[in-house]
Amino acid sequence: TYGLQFHPEVTSGLIANWMDASPDFEKHPGGQDRRRQLDGAARHQAAADAWLGAFLGLWTGGQRDAGTRRAAG
């Protein structure tokens, strides 16, 4: 059994869309300003992609590329 506590499928583009849809996102507890949020997403994206590819490979019995996809932004 696996449990995930984050969403590795989320892209920087999706994060930007969420922020656009909620202009007061910075006011929420733990909220970060737009630049900091997008910088953090960019900084951790490659590691999240690598983790997701490895996890899906294990989960699908070695089909490492199963479900991995990442569009820019």
Side-chain angles (χ1 to χ4, degrees), residues 5-55:
Q5 297 204 0
F6 66 102
H7 293 274
E9 75 282 4
V10 173
T11 63
S12 294
L14 186 53
I15 292 170
N17 287 344
W18 288 341
M19 289 187 289
D20 291 343
S22 180
D24 61 342
F25 68 92
E26 294 177 45
K27 297 176 185 172
H28 296 281
Q32 299 174 337
D33 65 61
R34 184 179 190 88
R35 183 75 269 141
R36 185 173 179 200
Q37 184 68 44
L38 293 174
D39 286 349
R43 183 172 56 255
H44 298 291
Q45 194 66 66
D49 287 347
W51 177 89
L52 180 59
F55 173 80

